[in-house]
Amino acid sequence: QELAILLRSWEQQSIALRELSHKLSLTLRSFLEATLNFPATDSTVREISSGLPGSFNRFRTGSQADKDKLGAEIIELLKHCDRLSFSAQTETESENYHTGNTVQTSDNSVSNTVKRIEVIVRTVVRWLAAEEVAIKHAAAASNGISVTGNDAV
């Protein structure tokens, strides 16, 4: 929902590119912190890069290749947001993204960035849900209860 609000603000030209990219980064970092219990909001991209793989290893769902790919995607997105946030663009250049006076890939870039973050969120949420089911199944099995599908205790 927060991503949709940010994208709508960008489309309505009510947020500057620097502010938008900062908020996108903070949204992704806050999500990682809340779901993985990982201090992403207070970490540099380098610190996130070194600590994030361990956070994904707790998931039984998803192959190691999928976890590595997701971790790489998160780091690339955070670097992308940082490049936009800390770029040397002037406010006039930022405004030109909306008026079409510069290359018009930024609207697509912003939209694609939001979509990529949404994919990350959906993937992690799916892994969390699968982990919860696995934990319930393991608890039921240890108590001698037979379960099928998602019908765990």
Side-chain angles (χ1 to χ4, degrees):
Q1 187 178 25
E2 188 169 338
L3 292 172
I5 292 168
L6 289 172
L7 185 56
R8 192 168 35 256
S9 295
W10 173 253
E11 290 167 348
Q12 295 171 351
Q13 302 178 17
S14 62
I15 189 170
L17 182 60
R18 286 184 191 189
E19 182 181 0
L20 173 70
S21 54
H22 173 74
K23 287 185 176 186
L24 287 172
S25 176
L26 186 59
T27 299
L28 179 55
R29 289 167 182 265
S30 297
F31 172 76
L32 294 172
E33 195 163 291
T35 57
L36 301 176
N37 198 23
F38 180 82
T41 57
D42 294 328
S43 300
T44 64
V45 174
R46 181 174 287 157
E47 291 168 334
I48 293 170
S49 180
S50 65
L52 193 59
S55 296
F56 287 141
N57 288 338
R58 73 177 223 203
F59 295 119
R60 296 174 215 163
T61 304
S63 69
Q64 190 60 47
D66 289 342
K67 293 172 188 175
D68 292 345
K69 183 178 175 183
L70 187 66
E73 175 73 358
I74 289 168
I75 298 307
E76 178 53 37
L77 277 168
L78 290 173
K79 287 179 179 179
H80 177 70
C81 288
D82 281 354
R83 282 190 299 272
L84 292 175
S85 292
F86 300 113
S87 69
Q89 292 180 335
T90 64
E91 285 303 311
T92 302
E93 289 171 330
S94 180
E95 289 169 10
N96 284 340
Y97 279 108
H98 287 296
T99 62
N101 294 335
T102 61
V103 179
Q104 290 191 314
T105 57
S106 82
D107 282 338
N108 289 337
S109 176
V110 168
S111 179
N112 287 338
T113 300
V114 169
K115 287 176 186 174
R116 290 167 65 191
I117 293 172
E118 288 172 339
V119 168
I120 290 168
V121 168
R122 282 194 303 273
T123 302
V124 172
V125 167
R126 188 177 67 246
W127 287 353
L128 285 169
E131 189 69 15
E132 183 178 331
V133 169
I135 290 169
K136 287 180 180 180
H137 280 232
S142 71
N143 290 322
I145 301 170
S146 175
V147 292
T148 58
N150 293 334
D151 297 335
V153 179

